[in-house]
Amino acid sequence: MAAKPCIPKGTRDFSPAEMAKRNYIFDTIRSVYHLYGFRQIETPAMEMLSTLMGKYGEEGDKLLFKIQNSGDYFSGLTDEELLSRNASKLACKFCEKGLRYDLTVPFARYVVMHREELTFPFKRYQIQPVWRADRPQKGRYREFYQCDADVVGSDSLLNEVELMQIVDTVFSRFGIRVCIKINNRKILTGMAEIIGEADRIVDITVAIDKLDKIGLDNVNAELRDKGISEEAIAKLQPIILLNGTNEEKLATLRQVLADSATGLKGVEETEFILSTLAGLGLKNELELDLTLARGLNYYTGAIFEVKALDVQIGSITGGGRYDNLTGVFGMAGVSGVGISFGADRIFDVLNQLDLYPKEAVNGTQLLFINFGEREAAFSMQVLVKARMAGIRAELYPDCCKMKKQMSYANANGVPYVALVGENEINEGKVTLKNMETGEQRLVAPDELIAELKK
Amino acid sequence: MAAKPCIPKGTRDFSPAEMAKRNYIFDTIRSVYHLYGFRQIETPAMEMLSTLMGKYGEEGDKLLFKIQNSGDYFSGLTDEELLSRNASKLACKFCEKGLRYDLTVPFARYVVMHREELTFPFKRYQIQPVWRADRPQKGRYREFYQCDADVVGSDSLLNEVELMQIVDTVFSRFGIRVCIKINNRKILTGMAEIIGEADRIVDITVAIDKLDKIGLDNVNAELRDKGISEEAIAKLQPIILLNGTNEEKLATLRQVLADSATGLKGVEETEFILSTLAGLGLKNELELDLTLARGLNYYTGAIFEVKALDVQIGSITGGGRYDNLTGVFGMAGVSGVGISFGADRIFDVLNQLDLYPKEAVNGTQLLFINFGEREAAFSMQVLVKARMAGIRAELYPDCCKMKKQMSYANANGVPYVALVGENEINEGKVTLKNMETGEQRLVAPDELIAELKK
């Protein structure tokens, strides 16, 4: 007998029930992206390794899934090279393609390749899987979907504003209460400038982030440990203790960063984004959070991150503004701003809070029990009408024991069952059973449709 | 400067306009699958090579994209093995995973792995890309989507009937006129039996298929060339000349195949499928076509294929009944029947016949021109309302020359543009311009929404 099959570690099958939920997530995000004028693109799963390599750091290069060249991939290789067994060097000889690692690099490649056809600003979204040869662990997979939206070719802060509106709308539709955290790389740069510790920003934000947990004295001690000067620590005090409303925080920052043109620009940008959003009726809270420093080397302006309020889980959405998306492919001057929804974590949050709407699980609404050829023929006539009315309906294909057919209805969560016997055929009606209440009644096809459409 | 980036040959980027069309195709197929109670699954892009190898013939094994193992893929390989440069043998040492080649083998693997959770009959659909290292050519890609639906665990011919209803409904919704061709492997087996040439079925159907083009004498000559005996050719005459309605064809076949139990079973099955469908109001023609022999080694009962009537193109959908889907993975007795829509060809047919509905291209409906900060702020208030009403709307993010903003509207096919200046702000209204007619009028936000919702 053949060995029991398995799937590669870190990958997943999605069952019908999981797919219904995932589609609900993707469809919700997609429809909001459409409302804001974002347009979908798709790129191939495989990209040239020359496109991917060197874009994600040395570690990232190792985590790329590489695809072996077809045909004779040994051609041009000397015995010596082969026997060197240099796995990473030879990988580039054996392979010229790899699976995409994220959606940003393929998007940059897309913009460069299609620059002549595109009208800027270009607002694109993309929902596709990515692959990373990371060590699999709870909540971390080797294949997972990203749902990105970016606007490129516009410096306007209104793009940041719209992306925050999108985040707010998406999570409102999900019914997930969130806090949208916002920061600005220029504020962080300003902080580094005024304390003369430009390259220590990450150490500083990591320490500041611990204030609630370990208290001011310990934060300062940690900064000292990291080699930050006493003078710099003194200057940082108002920032470490920054609290109050976003307006109060911005007022403090404006004073502290008075000597940094870049820092003040960051304050001004943040102020514009927050004050514009204040008039637009967002349902979720926005919070200026200086400890937010994600992808520091990548972002150049606003930085955002979304935290669920009612579930303990990491960031469920993030993004920010970047310069020079396409410079690495020889096309300068394309800046942009984007967000990425974390579909897997949103899936978990919706599960934990039991927030999936009933309609999202779009299974069969009505099952006809099969009592034989004649009954089936009658049922199929009713089925044609029901489906024309948009009702998702099935006839059990085999005339087997009723118990088995009812188990099928139960296993698939079918809410209504139709029974057609000789009586029903003679009357031209159907016995409709509500599987939840157990209630049964004889109805004409039109009544059945009306009941199901309720 | 960096080299201009490219994508692997045989793969494609899909632009927003193409994606809108593709989504229309997939959404249409998906919604019909739902109407018939099919439930979606997804499987990983990567499968173990042990799952994939040997399932598609020797040629297929070569066409699998293989993924190099992470880490030291040389381990355990002797110098001799390496220097053998045996590309296909070493591929299996370097690689344990491959990209899926179709959706059928992963589905079989899924059924086996999840047998305990599944309720049979299991009606699944799956819409995902597959990858084949085929030589790319016009209309043949190395990455393309398949849209499969299968029912497994039921022998009932009502499944065949429903699949034909699905095909009919899908193409009716597309507005593509088709001929649904149907055949049965058992009829072909019966033919082989009565003429004693069991292994020559393909030669025979290929010859018969040429009747219209080359005439009876030449068909018979070709059969003779292929080494079919005179006696067999004589017996085949009624089949070669088979014509008339499906009923007439079946009546002839019943006589010719009288001595083959298998053949008669095939006739009976086909008769049941056709006569059941006759009462269900299909919009497209069904034709019994004995030359249909696709995947002969795979199918065991009904075989179907769909041809577009108004475009010269190969089959745009196909399928059939098979036994023993999962036997290769050690689970016997699972038979099924399935169909697969050819999304790329349907895309071409819809393009050639210009059948995409306007609503399918779901771009932005309304663009607000940006005349400055104050105007933008007013526009954003109207935008909030418009989007709440479900209107896909944008504000041009930058306050730049109006000409540039209007070009953006034109390039993106936006049908309405909203102009907001000082007058409009004072009146609390918006000037709405219909981009097709050029007509402009001053409207209140509610009127704007009503106009756009029309």
Side-chain angles (χ1 to χ4, degrees):
Chain A
M1 200 185 102
K4 211 184 165 205
C6 64
I7 54 176
K9 66 177 178 196
T11 69
R12 293 165 288 175
D13 283 327
F14 294 108
S15 71
E18 288 165 329
M19 279 310 296
K21 291 178 174 182
R22 289 171 64 82
N23 284 336
Y24 165 68
I25 293 172
F26 293 134
D27 289 346
T28 302
I29 295 171
R30 197 192 324 263
S31 65
V32 177
Y33 282 159
H34 285 170
L35 274 187
Y36 283 78
F38 285 77
R39 310 175 75 204
Q40 189 173 16
I41 67 162
E42 280 189 7
T43 62
M46 301 187 275
E47 293 277 353
M48 302 307 290
L49 280 178
S50 55
T51 299
L52 301 175
M53 298 283 281
K55 308 304 189 297
Y56 306 105
E58 220 173 294
E59 197 49 35
D61 283 351
K62 282 191 199 141
L63 299 183
L64 292 170
F65 281 109
K66 297 173 189 77
I67 293 157
Q68 196 145 57
N69 295 339
S70 311
D72 182 15
Y73 49 88
F74 287 107
S75 72
L77 277 178
T78 65
D79 288 3
E80 209 181 348
E81 282 176 299
L82 262 181
L83 292 177
S84 76
R85 290 179 154 78
N86 184 331
S88 63
K89 198 174 154 201
L90 284 168
C92 298
K93 302 274 184 178
F94 291 154
C95 309
E96 59 170 25
K97 296 181 287 290
L99 294 180
R100 81 178 147 245
Y101 182 87
D102 72 358
L103 301 180
T104 304
V105 168
F107 174 50
R109 195 265 312 142
Y110 179 95
V111 169
V112 174
M113 270 181 72
H114 300 274
R115 62 213 285 182
E116 302 301 335
E117 310 144 34
L118 297 179
T119 306
F120 295 96
F122 180 47
K123 299 166 82 170
R124 90 85 171 80
Y125 79 89
Q126 193 169 353
I127 301 180
Q128 291 193 275
V130 302
W131 296 270
R132 297 181 183 180
D134 248 326
R135 188 180 300 276
Q137 50 179 259
K138 190 179 176 306
R140 194 206 276 164
Y141 304 101
R142 291 185 150 192
E143 173 181 66
F144 58 97
Y145 272 74
Q146 292 192 333
C147 315
D148 287 16
D150 290 79
V151 189
V152 294
S154 164
D155 292 329
S156 167
L157 293 172
L158 293 180
N159 297 304
E160 276 84 338
V161 168
E162 286 213 336
L163 290 175
M164 295 304 93
Q165 288 183 285
I166 287 176
V167 166
D168 183 67
T169 307
V170 165
F171 288 108
S172 299
R173 291 194 176 187
F174 285 142
I176 299 174
R177 299 192 317 129
V178 297
C179 176
I180 305 172
K181 302 198 172 205
I182 180 165
N183 193 8
N184 195 300
R185 167 65 192 270
K186 296 190 179 93
I187 293 178
L188 296 175
T189 304
M191 276 163 56
E193 276 179 25
I194 60 142
I195 63 170
E197 301 274 4
D199 49 350
R200 310 304 295 278
I201 274 299
V202 172
D203 286 342
I204 293 169
T205 56
V206 166
I208 293 179
D209 193 28
K210 297 182 183 165
L211 182 67
D212 283 350
K213 268 195 207 139
I214 63 176
L216 181 62
D217 289 349
N218 289 317
V219 168
N220 286 336
E222 183 167 327
L223 289 170
R224 238 166 254 130
D225 280 358
K226 298 274 180 187
I228 311 288
S229 73
E230 288 302 326
E231 198 197 337
I233 294 175
K235 282 192 184 160
L236 278 174
Q237 294 307 296
I239 289 175
I240 298 173
L241 293 169
L242 199 68
N243 64 15
T245 63
N246 292 329
E247 291 71 24
E248 287 164 352
K249 288 180 184 172
L250 286 168
T252 305
L253 283 172
R254 203 174 296 110
Q255 288 177 352
V256 177
L257 301 177
D259 291 337
S260 162
T262 305
L264 287 179
K265 182 92 174 90
V267 171
E268 195 187 295
E269 287 181 8
T270 309
E271 193 155 44
F272 178 85
I273 295 169
L274 291 173
S275 67
T276 306
L277 285 167
L280 295 174
L282 262 55
K283 301 213 169 50
N284 291 286
E285 189 198 345
L286 279 152
E287 186 195 325
L288 172 58
D289 180 353
L290 288 193
T291 67
L292 200 63
R294 46 181 293 138
L296 197 59
N297 295 319
Y298 181 62
Y299 293 122
T300 54
I303 306 172
F304 346 99
E305 202 167 273
V306 178
K307 299 279 277 182
L309 292 181
D310 303 313
V311 172
Q312 282 285 351
I313 199 165
S315 152
I316 54 179
T317 291
R321 177 169 287 276
Y322 44 84
D323 281 343
N324 204 14
L325 173 72
T326 52
V328 70
F329 297 119
M331 179 181 176
V334 178
S335 82
V337 55
I339 48 171
S340 184
F341 286 93
D344 286 305
R345 286 189 175 164
I346 292 171
F347 182 90
D348 289 344
V349 171
L350 289 171
N351 261 340
Q352 281 188 50
L353 300 177
D354 196 17
L355 286 176
Y356 288 103
K358 241 185 170 173
E359 318 82 74
V361 185
N362 49 4
T364 294
Q365 299 163 279
L366 174 65
L367 175 76
F368 280 81
I369 301 296
N370 189 333
F371 286 113
E373 210 167 304
R374 202 169 144 245
E375 292 82 356
F378 178 88
S379 301
M380 290 176 92
Q381 295 294 341
V382 183
L383 270 169
V384 168
K385 283 187 197 159
R387 288 172 178 150
M388 267 206 249
I391 294 164
R392 299 183 301 274
E394 296 177 60
L395 164 66
Y396 195 90
D398 304 277
C399 171
C400 59
K401 282 200 184 120
M402 179 148 165
K403 198 180 158 201
K404 192 178 174 198
Q405 300 189 44
M406 293 303 273
S407 313
Y408 177 87
N410 283 321
N412 289 304
V414 182
Y416 285 94
V417 158
L419 305 154
V420 172
E422 193 158 350
N423 270 347
E424 281 83 358
I425 296 180
N426 292 340
E427 292 205 43
K429 293 189 172 178
V430 161
T431 295
L432 184 66
K433 177 173 177 150
N434 180 323
M435 293 290 279
E436 204 179 323
T437 64
E439 186 201 357
Q440 274 187 215
R441 59 199 187 92
L442 191 68
V443 294
D446 289 347
E447 293 173 86
L448 173 141
I449 289 167
E451 174 73 22
L452 268 284
K453 293 295 277 183
K454 269 205 297 212
Chain B
M1 200 184 103
K4 214 186 162 202
C6 63
I7 54 176
K9 65 177 178 197
T11 69
R12 292 165 288 175
D13 283 327
F14 294 108
S15 70
E18 287 164 331
M19 280 308 298
K21 291 178 174 182
R22 289 170 65 84
N23 284 335
Y24 165 69
I25 293 171
F26 294 134
D27 289 346
T28 301
I29 295 171
R30 195 191 326 261
S31 65
V32 177
Y33 283 158
H34 286 171
L35 274 186
Y36 283 79
F38 285 77
R39 309 175 74 204
Q40 189 172 16
I41 67 162
E42 280 190 7
T43 61
M46 300 187 276
E47 294 276 352
M48 301 308 288
L49 279 178
S50 55
T51 299
L52 301 176
M53 297 283 281
K55 309 304 188 297
Y56 307 106
E58 219 173 293
E59 197 49 34
D61 284 352
K62 282 192 200 141
L63 299 184
L64 292 171
F65 280 109
K66 298 173 189 77
I67 293 158
Q68 195 142 56
N69 296 339
S70 310
D72 182 15
Y73 48 89
F74 287 107
S75 73
L77 277 178
T78 65
D79 288 4
E80 210 180 347
E81 281 176 299
L82 262 182
L83 293 177
S84 77
R85 291 180 155 75
N86 184 331
S88 64
K89 200 174 153 203
L90 284 168
C92 298
K93 302 273 184 178
F94 292 154
C95 307
E96 60 170 25
K97 296 181 286 291
L99 294 180
R100 81 178 147 246
Y101 183 86
D102 71 0
L103 301 179
T104 304
V105 168
F107 175 50
R109 194 264 312 142
Y110 180 95
V111 169
V112 174
M113 270 182 71
H114 301 274
R115 61 214 284 182
E116 303 301 337
E117 310 143 35
L118 297 179
T119 307
F120 294 96
F122 180 46
K123 299 166 82 169
R124 89 84 171 78
Y125 78 90
Q126 194 169 353
I127 300 179
Q128 290 193 278
V130 302
W131 295 270
R132 297 182 183 179
D134 249 325
R135 189 180 300 276
Q137 49 179 256
K138 191 182 175 304
R140 193 205 279 163
Y141 304 100
R142 291 185 149 192
E143 173 181 67
F144 58 97
Y145 272 75
Q146 292 192 331
C147 315
D148 287 16
D150 290 79
V151 190
V152 294
S154 165
D155 292 330
S156 167
L157 293 172
L158 293 180
N159 298 304
E160 276 83 339
V161 168
E162 286 214 334
L163 290 175
M164 295 303 94
Q165 287 182 284
I166 287 176
V167 166
D168 184 67
T169 307
V170 165
F171 288 108
S172 299
R173 290 193 178 188
F174 285 142
I176 299 175
R177 298 193 317 129
V178 296
C179 176
I180 304 172
K181 302 199 172 206
I182 181 166
N183 193 10
N184 195 300
R185 167 65 191 270
K186 296 189 179 95
I187 293 178
L188 297 175
T189 304
M191 277 163 53
E193 276 177 27
I194 58 141
I195 62 170
E197 302 275 5
D199 49 350
R200 310 304 294 278
I201 273 298
V202 172
D203 284 345
I204 294 170
T205 56
V206 165
I208 293 179
D209 193 28
K210 297 182 183 163
L211 182 67
D212 283 350
K213 267 195 208 142
I214 63 176
L216 181 61
D217 290 347
N218 289 316
V219 168
N220 287 337
E222 181 166 328
L223 290 170
R224 238 166 255 131
D225 281 357
K226 298 274 179 191
I228 313 289
S229 73
E230 287 303 325
E231 197 196 338
I233 293 174
K235 282 192 184 159
L236 277 174
Q237 294 309 295
I239 289 175
I240 298 172
L241 293 170
L242 198 69
N243 63 17
T245 64
N246 292 330
E247 291 72 24
E248 287 163 354
K249 288 180 183 173
L250 286 168
T252 306
L253 284 171
R254 202 174 296 109
Q255 289 176 354
V256 178
L257 301 176
D259 292 336
S260 162
T262 305
L264 287 178
K265 182 94 175 86
V267 172
E268 195 187 294
E269 288 181 7
T270 309
E271 193 155 44
F272 178 84
I273 295 168
L274 291 174
S275 66
T276 307
L277 285 167
L280 295 175
L282 261 54
K283 300 212 169 50
N284 292 286
E285 189 199 345
L286 280 152
E287 186 194 325
L288 171 58
D289 180 354
L290 288 192
T291 66
L292 200 62
R294 45 180 293 137
L296 197 58
N297 295 319
Y298 181 63
Y299 293 122
T300 54
I303 306 172
F304 347 98
E305 201 166 274
V306 178
K307 299 278 277 182
L309 293 181
D310 302 312
V311 172
Q312 282 285 350
I313 200 165
S315 152
I316 54 179
T317 290
R321 178 169 284 278
Y322 44 84
D323 281 344
N324 204 13
L325 174 72
T326 52
V328 71
F329 298 119
M331 179 180 176
V334 178
S335 82
V337 55
I339 48 170
S340 184
F341 285 93
D344 284 305
R345 285 188 175 165
I346 292 171
F347 182 90
D348 289 344
V349 171
L350 288 171
N351 260 340
Q352 281 187 50
L353 300 177
D354 195 17
L355 287 175
Y356 288 102
K358 240 186 172 175
E359 320 81 74
V361 185
N362 50 5
T364 294
Q365 298 163 278
L366 175 65
L367 175 75
F368 281 80
I369 300 296
N370 189 332
F371 287 114
E373 209 168 303
R374 202 168 145 246
E375 292 83 356
F378 177 89
S379 301
M380 290 175 91
Q381 296 292 340
V382 184
L383 270 169
V384 168
K385 285 188 194 157
R387 286 170 179 151
M388 267 206 248
I391 293 164
R392 300 183 299 275
E394 294 177 62
L395 165 66
Y396 195 91
D398 304 276
C399 171
C400 60
K401 282 203 185 117
M402 180 152 166
K403 199 180 157 199
K404 192 177 174 197
Q405 300 190 44
M406 293 304 273
S407 313
Y408 177 88
N410 282 321
N412 289 305
V414 181
Y416 285 93
V417 160
L419 305 154
V420 172
E422 193 159 350
N423 269 348
E424 282 84 358
I425 296 180
N426 291 340
E427 292 204 44
K429 293 189 172 177
V430 161
T431 296
L432 184 65
K433 177 173 177 150
N434 180 321
M435 293 291 278
E436 206 178 319
T437 64
E439 188 201 356
Q440 273 186 217
R441 60 200 187 94
L442 192 67
V443 294
D446 289 347
E447 291 172 87
L448 173 142
I449 290 168
E451 173 74 22
L452 268 285
K453 294 294 275 185
K454 269 205 296 210

